[in-house]
Amino acid sequence: QVQLVESGGGLVQAGGSLRLSCAASGSFRSMSTMGWYRQAPGKQRDLVAAITSGGTTNYADSVKGRFTISRDNAKNTVYLQMNSLKSEDTAVYYCNADVDRYGLGTFNRYWGQGTQVTVSS
């Protein structure tokens, strides 16, 4: 089994910063893309940022220039540095990872349990 555990959420004032972490554990051969999604109340879950195993990144337009995604492949961990936070960033943030458990070239997506980020104005 593969588990993703997020940490680092919380309450912050507008303009502040938070850093989210997500560590993958369990039995697997490799991970490709890792990413962060968020879901606000009554809304769909949307992509925030993603990063490939080679370090190529992709961001939602709403967070470009404010958020930075990074990963430590040796630790199977992905990070999301969030700066200049706005009230509209308030949501539950979920990490995911595309994992090949058996080395057969078949990747399945796994999700963390989510961490709440609340930005007060």
Side-chain angles (χ1 to χ4, degrees), residues 38-120:
R38 66 186 180 188
Q39 187 168 21
K43 296 188 176 182
Q44 66 181 21
R45 189 178 297 188
D46 291 324
L47 174 70
V48 176
I51 183 168
T52 67
S53 57
T56 300
T57 58
N58 179 41
Y59 294 93
D61 287 342
S62 60
V63 306
K64 283 180 180 177
R66 300 189 297 123
F67 291 10
T68 302
I69 189 171
S70 61
R71 66 190 282 174
D72 184 333
N73 291 329
K75 295 182 178 180
N76 296 320
T77 300
V78 63
Y79 306 96
L80 186 68
Q81 178 66 44
M82 304 185 293
N83 299 329
S84 302
L85 282 161
K86 306 175 181 179
S87 58
E88 50 263 45
D89 296 318
T90 294
V92 178
Y93 284 69
Y94 298 90
C95 73
N96 66 31
D98 294 333
V99 177
D100 179 0
R101 292 193 63 194
Y102 305 108
L104 300 177
T106 300
F107 289 83
N108 295 107
R109 178 158 291 185
Y110 292 83
W111 292 87
Q113 80 287 354
T115 186
Q116 177 70 46
V117 171
T118 302
V119 184
S120 62

Side-chain angles (χ1 to χ4, degrees), residues 6-51:
E6 299 113 333
S7 60
L11 174 64
V12 64
Q13 289 188 331
S17 298
L18 281 175
R19 188 190 193 211
L20 306 182
S21 300
C22 172
S25 62
S27 175
F28 54 90
R29 290 298 187 93
S30 65
M31 286 196 298
S32 59
T33 301
M34 302 183 78
W36 291 93
Y37 282 66
R38 66 186 180 188
Q39 187 168 21
K43 296 188 176 182
Q44 66 181 21
R45 189 178 297 188
D46 291 324
L47 174 70
V48 176
I51 183 168

